[in-house]
PDB file of all heavy atoms in Angstrom:
ATOM      1  N   ALA A  19      -0.712  -3.851  -0.471  1.00  0.00           N
ATOM      2  CA  ALA A  19      -1.330  -3.096   0.617  1.00  0.00           C
ATOM      3  C   ALA A  19      -2.086  -4.026   1.548  1.00  0.00           C
ATOM      4  O   ALA A  19      -2.039  -3.873   2.785  1.00  0.00           O
ATOM      5  CB  ALA A  19      -2.253  -2.021   0.064  1.00  0.00           C
ATOM      6  N   LEU A  20      -2.794  -5.012   0.990  1.00  0.00           N
ATOM      7  CA  LEU A  20      -3.501  -5.982   1.821  1.00  0.00           C
ATOM      8  C   LEU A  20      -2.522  -6.800   2.658  1.00  0.00           C
ATOM      9  O   LEU A  20      -2.759  -7.047   3.843  1.00  0.00           O
ATOM     10  CB  LEU A  20      -4.358  -6.900   0.961  1.00  0.00           C
ATOM     11  CG  LEU A  20      -5.592  -6.272   0.331  1.00  0.00           C
ATOM     12  CD1 LEU A  20      -6.253  -7.259  -0.633  1.00  0.00           C
ATOM     13  CD2 LEU A  20      -6.566  -5.832   1.390  1.00  0.00           C
ATOM     14  N   ASP A  21      -1.430  -7.205   2.036  1.00  0.00           N
ATOM     15  CA  ASP A  21      -0.405  -7.968   2.769  1.00  0.00           C
ATOM     16  C   ASP A  21       0.223  -7.127   3.885  1.00  0.00           C
ATOM     17  O   ASP A  21       0.434  -7.621   4.998  1.00  0.00           O
ATOM     18  CB  ASP A  21       0.684  -8.459   1.815  1.00  0.00           C
ATOM     19  CG  ASP A  21       0.177  -9.467   0.801  1.00  0.00           C
ATOM     20  OD1 ASP A  21      -0.912 -10.030   1.021  1.00  0.00           O
ATOM     21  OD2 ASP A  21       0.869  -9.672  -0.210  1.00  0.00           O
ATOM     22  N   GLU A  22       0.514  -5.881   3.579  1.00  0.00           N
ATOM     23  CA  GLU A  22       1.104  -4.972   4.577  1.00  0.00           C
ATOM     24  C   GLU A  22       0.131  -4.731   5.731  1.00  0.00           C
ATOM     25  O   GLU A  22       0.521  -4.734   6.898  1.00  0.00           O
ATOM     26  CB  GLU A  22       1.485  -3.650   3.916  1.00  0.00           C
ATOM     27  CG  GLU A  22       2.161  -2.669   4.819  1.00  0.00           C
ATOM     28  CD  GLU A  22       3.602  -2.996   5.113  1.00  0.00           C
ATOM     29  OE1 GLU A  22       4.193  -3.837   4.419  1.00  0.00           O
ATOM     30  OE2 GLU A  22       4.148  -2.415   6.063  1.00  0.00           O
ATOM     31  N   ALA A  23      -1.149  -4.553   5.406  1.00  0.00           N
ATOM     32  CA  ALA A  23      -2.157  -4.338   6.442  1.00  0.00           C
ATOM     33  C   ALA A  23      -2.274  -5.565   7.345  1.00  0.00           C
ATOM     34  O   ALA A  23      -2.372  -5.440   8.574  1.00  0.00           O
ATOM     35  CB  ALA A  23      -3.500  -4.022   5.804  1.00  0.00           C
ATOM     36  N   GLN A  24      -2.229  -6.731   6.744  1.00  0.00           N
ATOM     37  CA  GLN A  24      -2.310  -7.961   7.526  1.00  0.00           C
ATOM     38  C   GLN A  24      -1.109  -8.083   8.455  1.00  0.00           C
ATOM     39  O   GLN A  24      -1.245  -8.435   9.629  1.00  0.00           O
ATOM     40  CB  GLN A  24      -2.380  -9.158   6.578  1.00  0.00           C
ATOM     41  CG  GLN A  24      -2.553 -10.484   7.263  1.00  0.00           C
ATOM     42  CD  GLN A  24      -2.606 -11.624   6.274  1.00  0.00           C
ATOM     43  OE1 GLN A  24      -2.071 -11.523   5.166  1.00  0.00           O
ATOM     44  NE2 GLN A  24      -3.220 -12.707   6.660  1.00  0.00           N
ATOM     45  N   MET A  25       0.076  -7.772   7.947  1.00  0.00           N
ATOM     46  CA  MET A  25       1.283  -7.846   8.767  1.00  0.00           C
ATOM     47  C   MET A  25       1.218  -6.823   9.912  1.00  0.00           C
ATOM     48  O   MET A  25       1.562  -7.136  11.057  1.00  0.00           O
ATOM     49  CB  MET A  25       2.518  -7.588   7.890  1.00  0.00           C
ATOM     50  CG  MET A  25       3.847  -7.754   8.600  1.00  0.00           C
ATOM     51  SD  MET A  25       4.490  -6.278   9.451  1.00  0.00           S
ATOM     52  CE  MET A  25       4.604  -5.113   8.134  1.00  0.00           C
ATOM     53  N   LEU A  26       0.752  -5.601   9.613  1.00  0.00           N
ATOM     54  CA  LEU A  26       0.660  -4.583  10.652  1.00  0.00           C
ATOM     55  C   LEU A  26      -0.374  -4.958  11.704  1.00  0.00           C
ATOM     56  O   LEU A  26      -0.173  -4.689  12.897  1.00  0.00           O
ATOM     57  CB  LEU A  26       0.320  -3.224  10.033  1.00  0.00           C
ATOM     58  CG  LEU A  26       1.450  -2.538   9.262  1.00  0.00           C
ATOM     59  CD1 LEU A  26       0.932  -1.333   8.512  1.00  0.00           C
ATOM     60  CD2 LEU A  26       2.577  -2.158  10.188  1.00  0.00           C
ATOM     61  N   ARG A  27      -1.478  -5.553  11.306  1.00  0.00           N
ATOM     62  CA  ARG A  27      -2.491  -5.998  12.272  1.00  0.00           C
ATOM     63  C   ARG A  27      -1.923  -7.077  13.194  1.00  0.00           C
ATOM     64  O   ARG A  27      -2.197  -7.079  14.391  1.00  0.00           O
ATOM     65  CB  ARG A  27      -3.722  -6.532  11.551  1.00  0.00           C
ATOM     66  CG  ARG A  27      -4.628  -5.465  11.035  1.00  0.00           C
ATOM     67  CD  ARG A  27      -5.941  -6.081  10.540  1.00  0.00           C
ATOM     68  NE  ARG A  27      -6.622  -5.162   9.659  1.00  0.00           N
ATOM     69  CZ  ARG A  27      -6.827  -5.383   8.357  1.00  0.00           C
ATOM     70  NH1 ARG A  27      -6.435  -6.500   7.799  1.00  0.00           N
ATOM     71  NH2 ARG A  27      -7.446  -4.492   7.622  1.00  0.00           N
ATOM     72  N   ARG A  28      -1.162  -8.009  12.607  1.00  0.00           N
ATOM     73  CA  ARG A  28      -0.551  -9.063  13.423  1.00  0.00           C
ATOM     74  C   ARG A  28       0.455  -8.477  14.401  1.00  0.00           C
ATOM     75  O   ARG A  28       0.527  -8.861  15.551  1.00  0.00           O
ATOM     76  CB  ARG A  28       0.168 -10.069  12.515  1.00  0.00           C
ATOM     77  CG  ARG A  28      -0.608 -11.314  12.234  1.00  0.00           C
ATOM     78  CD  ARG A  28       0.271 -12.410  11.671  1.00  0.00           C
ATOM     79  NE  ARG A  28       1.308 -11.967  10.778  1.00  0.00           N
ATOM     80  CZ  ARG A  28       1.248 -11.994   9.445  1.00  0.00           C
ATOM     81  NH1 ARG A  28       0.184 -12.450   8.855  1.00  0.00           N
ATOM     82  NH2 ARG A  28       2.253 -11.583   8.722  1.00  0.00           N
ATOM     83  N   ARG A  29       1.261  -7.564  13.905  1.00  0.00           N
ATOM     84  CA  ARG A  29       2.352  -7.035  14.721  1.00  0.00           C
ATOM     85  C   ARG A  29       1.885  -5.993  15.744  1.00  0.00           C
ATOM     86  O   ARG A  29       2.383  -5.969  16.861  1.00  0.00           O
ATOM     87  CB  ARG A  29       3.400  -6.411  13.806  1.00  0.00           C
ATOM     88  CG  ARG A  29       4.655  -5.994  14.538  1.00  0.00           C
ATOM     89  CD  ARG A  29       5.713  -5.525  13.595  1.00  0.00           C
ATOM     90  NE  ARG A  29       6.244  -6.662  12.855  1.00  0.00           N
ATOM     91  CZ  ARG A  29       7.062  -6.552  11.830  1.00  0.00           C
ATOM     92  NH1 ARG A  29       7.426  -5.364  11.410  1.00  0.00           N
ATOM     93  NH2 ARG A  29       7.511  -7.611  11.212  1.00  0.00           N
ATOM     94  N   HIS A  30       0.930  -5.131  15.358  1.00  0.00           N
ATOM     95  CA  HIS A  30       0.558  -4.008  16.221  1.00  0.00           C
ATOM     96  C   HIS A  30      -0.856  -4.078  16.768  1.00  0.00           C
ATOM     97  O   HIS A  30      -1.209  -3.267  17.628  1.00  0.00           O
ATOM     98  CB  HIS A  30       0.719  -2.684  15.456  1.00  0.00           C
ATOM     99  CG  HIS A  30       2.122  -2.413  15.049  1.00  0.00           C
ATOM    100  ND1 HIS A  30       3.071  -1.940  15.910  1.00  0.00           N
ATOM    101  CD2 HIS A  30       2.748  -2.563  13.851  1.00  0.00           C
ATOM    102  CE1 HIS A  30       4.213  -1.803  15.281  1.00  0.00           C
ATOM    103  NE2 HIS A  30       4.058  -2.178  14.023  1.00  0.00           N
ATOM    104  N   GLY A  31      -1.658  -4.992  16.284  1.00  0.00           N
ATOM    105  CA  GLY A  31      -3.019  -5.140  16.799  1.00  0.00           C
ATOM    106  C   GLY A  31      -3.882  -3.917  16.552  1.00  0.00           C
ATOM    107  O   GLY A  31      -4.027  -3.464  15.411  1.00  0.00           O
TER     108      GLY A  31
END
Side-chain angles (χ1 to χ4, degrees):
L20 289 173
D21 295 343
E22 183 75 15
Q24 183 180 25
M25 185 272 301
L26 287 171
R27 281 190 199 114
R28 261 196 323 261
R29 187 174 289 171
H30 297 282

